[in-house]
Amino acid sequence: MASSTLISDTEQWKELKAHVADIKKTHLRDLLRDDARSQSMTVEFDGILLDYSRQQATLETVGKLFKLAEAASLKQKIGRMYNGEHINSTENRSVLHVALRASRDAVIQSDGKNVVPDVWKVLDKIKEFSERVRSGSWVGATGKQLKDVVAIGIGGSFLGPLFVHTALQTDPEASESSRGRQLRFLANVDPIDVARNITGLNPETTLVVVVSKTFTTAETMLNARTLREWISSALGPSAVAKHMVAVSTNLTLVEKFGIDPNNAFAFWDWVGGRYSVCSAVGVLPLSIQYGFPVIEKFLKGASSIDQHVHSEPFEKNIPVLLGLLSVWNVSFLGYPARAILPYSQALEKLAPHIQQVSMESNGKGVSIDGVPLPFEAGEIDFGEPGTNGQHSFYQLIHQGRVIPCDFIGVVKSQQPVYLKGEVVSNHDELMSNFFAQPDALAYGKTPEQLQKENVPPHLVAHKTFTGNRPSVSLLLPSLNAYNIGQLLAIYEHRVAVQGFIWNINSFDQWGVELGKSLATQVRKQLNASRTKKEPIQGFNFSTTTMLTRYLQASADIPADPPTHLPQI
Ligand SMILES: O=P(O)(O)OC[C@H]1O[C@](O)(CO)[C@@H](O)[C@@H]1O
């Protein structure tokens, strides 16, 4: 496909469009009778089992999707990513998060330079620094050990590390190695988030890690200044050197902020924010919390999937299959959302993280060449761990709108519980639901079945489940650092695959800029109105009314208040 051609203009896309009518005639209830079909829709790699037999798809559909992948030059695009070409064309950058978890001897080029030695230089520095903090050879300004870490960052500088931290917290090895330590995340510029983060912490024993790719993000920088004040008002300004470190691509601004460049951990413009958890963004705070050896396992898990995506034929390639099926669901079957449903409480932050990875990457309206898309790209991602979600939004998924679901299960619980006399273990109870829900969605329940059960006629319609609702199931052997890395990389690559098929740029995010610049105008107005009583100017009636009310109702706040930090 020539780069300026819309994928929707290709024969392969049109064939899939025409094929939708064939699929609409089928029901998963019938498709699932064909064991040979189901068997060929099961793929295993490195301990992970993917079953996509509950997709509204036949083997013919999958064949057509592979042809679409060919038309979209998917293999070549994946290759171009791994070769360090500037596939993020609107920012003129390579996209090389795979280099962040490559082995020490790998060679991955960006702009003619092997970037792997730079990656390992930073990883070695993190290993050394995290060991010093953990062992107490790096202490705070008053000589006390730094037991607690507050990581300040937002978006990609927050969600990925929070996901991995939450997933590791209950892993036996990780929880053992983090005994006596706390890791907190300060993301929102809301001062309540500051209050929540510093409550119960002592500046003397706290290390603040400021994480920002650009080191200009308004929320992060204000939070960084706030915690700098928290430290220096308690321990004196010179304490900042011992209590604040940074992760950024912009080391000049780090130094300007007052953080010693020796205590800064670099990453590079070829790492997108939402793909940065495997850089110092995630590896530094997580290594301080859990120790570098645990986090190295996480990187190895992600690397295993990186190699799989790059080399495995599409028929057996888990992220490619998942990506193609998502394109099928969104662009052909017209399902705009996707539910991420991990049957593991440890994965409670997976959906929020993937929400950014997916929606910031693929929520685009034009092709990579700037041509408006005549089809919808991207999807609405949301989710909750099972079984909690079952008692919340599953009603809509079962009887309301059709939402393709990702069911993620784990064979061995991080924290098994067995109670003598119970029918099954607590984890088996959880997993009973993991196995049941996909079939409930696929098969549904017919009026005939209900009548046989003597359901009163006036309730039959209410109790009918139409079924034919698609899902995929992913079964992980366990949930240790390695598996968490695998899961992360599966989702990262799946999202990229979708973008490659849609021929959009999944690696820029211009859509976040407009709101930011309007907030700058409001910030200026608030300052001018509070300090110089300047009238509100340049806003429409609605915003002017709201701003007026806000300023009038908070007129008791002094124009130049003294520094005040949360007191709870
Ligand atoms: O790491 P930074 O530069 O502070 O950016 C934080 C986040 O802000 C965004 O630019 C969106 O506003 C994300 O893409 C990014 O992850």
Side-chain angles (χ1 to χ4, degrees), residues 153-158 211-221 247 267 272-274 276 281 356 360 509 512-513 516:
I154 199 164
S157 296
F158 157 58
V211 184
S212 175
K213 179 174 172 179
T214 54
F215 230 69
T216 58
T217 301
E219 296 94 323
T220 300
M221 297 324 298
V247 176
F267 66 114
R274 54 196 174 273
S276 66
V281 165
Q356 188 204 12
E360 196 166 81
Q509 57 286 315
V512 302
E513 295 304 327
K516 284 187 198 174

Side-chain angles (χ1 to χ4, degrees), residues 40-103:
S40 54
M41 291 185 165
T42 305
V43 176
E44 195 170 354
F45 175 74
D46 199 11
I48 295 185
L49 192 66
L50 164 69
D51 177 357
Y52 62 97
S53 61
R54 290 180 195 81
Q55 286 290 301
Q56 290 177 307
T58 58
L59 295 181
E60 192 189 346
T61 320
V62 179
K64 287 183 188 299
L65 286 169
F66 289 144
K67 287 201 177 125
L68 182 72
E70 215 174 290
S73 307
L74 178 62
K75 189 143 192 59
Q76 292 83 339
K77 286 178 182 171
I78 294 173
R80 289 179 61 205
M81 178 168 84
Y82 280 72
N83 287 339
E85 290 182 36
H86 284 207
I87 62 168
N88 176 359
S89 51
T90 61
E91 295 180 313
N92 195 21
R93 290 174 183 167
S94 319
V95 175
L96 280 179
H97 43 278
V98 294
L100 300 171
R101 50 247 188 165
S103 60

